[in-house]
Short mmCIF file of all heavy atoms in Angstrom, two decimals:
data_model
loop_
_atom_site.label_atom_id
_atom_site.label_comp_id
_atom_site.label_asym_id
_atom_site.label_seq_id
_atom_site.Cartn_x
_atom_site.Cartn_y
_atom_site.Cartn_z
N GLY A 1 4.63 11.94 -7.14
CA GLY A 1 3.26 12.14 -6.68
C GLY A 1 2.21 11.62 -7.65
O GLY A 1 2.44 11.51 -8.85
N SER A 2 1.07 11.25 -7.14
CA SER A 2 -0.06 10.84 -7.96
C SER A 2 -1.27 10.78 -7.06
O SER A 2 -1.43 9.83 -6.28
CB SER A 2 0.18 9.48 -8.62
OG SER A 2 -0.96 9.09 -9.37
N GLY A 3 -2.12 11.79 -7.14
CA GLY A 3 -3.27 11.85 -6.25
C GLY A 3 -4.16 10.64 -6.33
O GLY A 3 -4.82 10.28 -5.35
N GLY A 4 -4.20 9.97 -7.48
CA GLY A 4 -5.11 8.84 -7.64
C GLY A 4 -4.46 7.49 -7.46
O GLY A 4 -5.08 6.47 -7.78
N ALA A 5 -3.23 7.43 -6.96
CA ALA A 5 -2.53 6.15 -6.84
C ALA A 5 -2.29 5.82 -5.37
O ALA A 5 -1.82 6.65 -4.60
CB ALA A 5 -1.19 6.21 -7.57
N ASN A 6 -2.63 4.60 -5.00
CA ASN A 6 -2.38 4.12 -3.64
C ASN A 6 -1.21 3.14 -3.64
O ASN A 6 -1.15 2.23 -4.47
CB ASN A 6 -3.62 3.42 -3.09
CG ASN A 6 -4.79 4.36 -2.91
OD1 ASN A 6 -4.72 5.31 -2.14
ND2 ASN A 6 -5.87 4.10 -3.64
N LEU A 7 -0.30 3.35 -2.71
CA LEU A 7 0.82 2.44 -2.51
C LEU A 7 0.40 1.45 -1.43
O LEU A 7 -0.16 1.84 -0.40
CB LEU A 7 2.04 3.24 -2.05
CG LEU A 7 3.43 2.64 -2.22
CD1 LEU A 7 3.77 2.46 -3.70
CD2 LEU A 7 4.47 3.53 -1.54
N ARG A 8 0.61 0.16 -1.68
CA ARG A 8 0.23 -0.87 -0.72
C ARG A 8 1.44 -1.72 -0.35
O ARG A 8 2.24 -2.07 -1.22
CB ARG A 8 -0.87 -1.77 -1.29
CG ARG A 8 -2.25 -1.13 -1.36
CD ARG A 8 -3.25 -2.08 -2.00
NE ARG A 8 -4.63 -1.63 -1.83
CZ ARG A 8 -5.23 -0.73 -2.63
NH1 ARG A 8 -4.55 -0.22 -3.67
NH2 ARG A 8 -6.47 -0.36 -2.41
N ILE A 9 1.53 -2.07 0.95
CA ILE A 9 2.59 -2.96 1.42
C ILE A 9 1.93 -4.20 2.00
O ILE A 9 1.14 -4.12 2.95
CB ILE A 9 3.48 -2.28 2.48
CG1 ILE A 9 4.08 -0.98 1.91
CG2 ILE A 9 4.60 -3.23 2.91
CD1 ILE A 9 4.95 -0.22 2.89
N TYR A 10 2.23 -5.35 1.38
CA TYR A 10 1.69 -6.64 1.81
C TYR A 10 2.80 -7.40 2.56
O TYR A 10 3.91 -7.56 2.04
CB TYR A 10 1.30 -7.49 0.60
CG TYR A 10 0.19 -6.96 -0.29
CD1 TYR A 10 0.45 -5.96 -1.24
CD2 TYR A 10 -1.08 -7.50 -0.22
CE1 TYR A 10 -0.55 -5.51 -2.08
CE2 TYR A 10 -2.10 -7.05 -1.07
CZ TYR A 10 -1.82 -6.05 -2.00
OH TYR A 10 -2.81 -5.61 -2.83
N PHE A 11 2.52 -7.90 3.74
CA PHE A 11 3.47 -8.70 4.50
C PHE A 11 3.01 -10.16 4.56
O PHE A 11 1.81 -10.46 4.75
CB PHE A 11 3.59 -8.17 5.93
CG PHE A 11 4.23 -6.82 6.03
CD1 PHE A 11 3.53 -5.75 6.57
CD2 PHE A 11 5.53 -6.60 5.61
CE1 PHE A 11 4.11 -4.50 6.69
CE2 PHE A 11 6.13 -5.35 5.71
CZ PHE A 11 5.41 -4.30 6.25
N ASP A 12 3.97 -11.08 4.42
CA ASP A 12 3.77 -12.50 4.70
C ASP A 12 2.57 -13.10 3.95
O ASP A 12 1.76 -13.85 4.52
CB ASP A 12 3.59 -12.72 6.20
CG ASP A 12 4.81 -12.28 7.00
OD1 ASP A 12 5.88 -12.09 6.40
OD2 ASP A 12 4.68 -12.12 8.23
N GLY A 13 2.41 -12.75 2.67
CA GLY A 13 1.37 -13.34 1.84
C GLY A 13 -0.03 -12.85 2.12
O GLY A 13 -1.01 -13.53 1.75
N GLU A 14 -0.17 -11.68 2.71
CA GLU A 14 -1.51 -11.13 2.97
C GLU A 14 -2.35 -11.06 1.69
O GLU A 14 -1.84 -10.70 0.62
CB GLU A 14 -1.39 -9.71 3.54
CG GLU A 14 -0.80 -9.62 4.93
CD GLU A 14 -0.59 -8.18 5.38
OE1 GLU A 14 -0.21 -7.34 4.53
OE2 GLU A 14 -0.81 -7.90 6.57
N LYS A 15 -3.63 -11.37 1.82
CA LYS A 15 -4.55 -11.22 0.69
C LYS A 15 -4.88 -9.75 0.45
O LYS A 15 -5.08 -9.32 -0.69
CB LYS A 15 -5.83 -12.01 0.95
CG LYS A 15 -5.62 -13.51 1.05
CD LYS A 15 -5.01 -14.08 -0.23
CE LYS A 15 -4.86 -15.59 -0.13
NZ LYS A 15 -4.20 -16.16 -1.35
N GLU A 16 -4.95 -8.98 1.52
CA GLU A 16 -5.13 -7.54 1.42
C GLU A 16 -4.01 -6.87 2.21
O GLU A 16 -3.65 -7.33 3.30
CB GLU A 16 -6.49 -7.10 1.94
CG GLU A 16 -6.79 -5.62 1.75
CD GLU A 16 -6.68 -5.18 0.29
OE1 GLU A 16 -7.64 -5.37 -0.48
OE2 GLU A 16 -5.60 -4.64 -0.09
N ALA A 17 -3.47 -5.80 1.65
CA ALA A 17 -2.33 -5.14 2.28
C ALA A 17 -2.71 -4.52 3.62
O ALA A 17 -3.76 -3.89 3.75
CB ALA A 17 -1.78 -4.05 1.36
N SER A 18 -1.83 -4.69 4.60
CA SER A 18 -2.07 -4.09 5.91
C SER A 18 -1.63 -2.63 5.97
O SER A 18 -1.99 -1.91 6.89
CB SER A 18 -1.35 -4.89 7.00
OG SER A 18 0.04 -4.99 6.72
N ILE A 19 -0.85 -2.19 4.96
CA ILE A 19 -0.39 -0.80 4.91
C ILE A 19 -0.90 -0.18 3.61
O ILE A 19 -0.59 -0.67 2.52
CB ILE A 19 1.14 -0.69 4.96
CG1 ILE A 19 1.71 -1.46 6.15
CG2 ILE A 19 1.56 0.77 4.99
CD1 ILE A 19 1.35 -0.90 7.49
N LEU A 20 -1.68 0.91 3.71
CA LEU A 20 -2.18 1.63 2.55
C LEU A 20 -1.70 3.08 2.64
O LEU A 20 -1.93 3.75 3.65
CB LEU A 20 -3.71 1.60 2.52
CG LEU A 20 -4.39 2.39 1.40
CD1 LEU A 20 -4.08 1.76 0.04
CD2 LEU A 20 -5.89 2.48 1.62
N ILE A 21 -1.02 3.55 1.59
CA ILE A 21 -0.44 4.89 1.57
C ILE A 21 -1.01 5.64 0.37
O ILE A 21 -0.81 5.23 -0.78
CB ILE A 21 1.10 4.82 1.47
CG1 ILE A 21 1.65 4.01 2.66
CG2 ILE A 21 1.71 6.21 1.44
CD1 ILE A 21 3.00 3.41 2.42
N PRO A 22 -1.74 6.73 0.58
CA PRO A 22 -2.38 7.44 -0.54
C PRO A 22 -1.41 8.32 -1.31
O PRO A 22 -0.32 8.67 -0.85
CB PRO A 22 -3.43 8.29 0.17
CG PRO A 22 -2.85 8.55 1.53
CD PRO A 22 -2.08 7.31 1.89
N ALA A 23 -1.84 8.68 -2.52
CA ALA A 23 -1.18 9.71 -3.36
C ALA A 23 0.25 9.36 -3.73
O ALA A 23 1.04 10.24 -4.05
CB ALA A 23 -1.22 11.07 -2.65
N TYR A 24 0.57 8.05 -3.73
CA TYR A 24 1.94 7.62 -4.05
C TYR A 24 2.97 8.50 -3.34
O TYR A 24 3.87 9.07 -3.95
CB TYR A 24 2.19 7.62 -5.57
CG TYR A 24 3.48 6.92 -5.92
CD1 TYR A 24 3.59 5.55 -5.79
CD2 TYR A 24 4.60 7.63 -6.35
CE1 TYR A 24 4.78 4.90 -6.07
CE2 TYR A 24 5.79 6.99 -6.65
CZ TYR A 24 5.88 5.62 -6.49
OH TYR A 24 7.06 4.98 -6.76
N ASP A 25 2.84 8.63 -2.03
CA ASP A 25 3.68 9.54 -1.25
C ASP A 25 4.01 8.86 0.07
O ASP A 25 3.18 8.80 0.97
CB ASP A 25 2.93 10.85 -1.01
CG ASP A 25 3.75 11.89 -0.27
OD1 ASP A 25 4.85 11.54 0.23
OD2 ASP A 25 3.30 13.04 -0.18
N ILE A 26 5.23 8.32 0.20
CA ILE A 26 5.61 7.55 1.37
C ILE A 26 5.56 8.40 2.64
O ILE A 26 5.45 7.86 3.75
CB ILE A 26 7.01 6.92 1.18
CG1 ILE A 26 7.29 5.85 2.26
CG2 ILE A 26 8.09 7.97 1.17
CD1 ILE A 26 6.37 4.67 2.23
#
């Protein structure tokens, strides 16, 4: 866990991730 950390998933060379997951929690 980490309340201040965002997990990002980038597909196919995206400049900005299309998936944003807060608090380092899948």
Side-chain angles (χ1 to χ4, degrees):
S2 177
N6 295 298
L7 201 65
R8 287 178 168 84
I9 304 179
Y10 297 79
F11 293 119
D12 299 344
E14 291 175 322
K15 296 301 182 183
E16 185 56 82
S18 56
I19 308 294
L20 177 67
I21 302 157
Y24 191 70
D25 183 351
I26 193 63

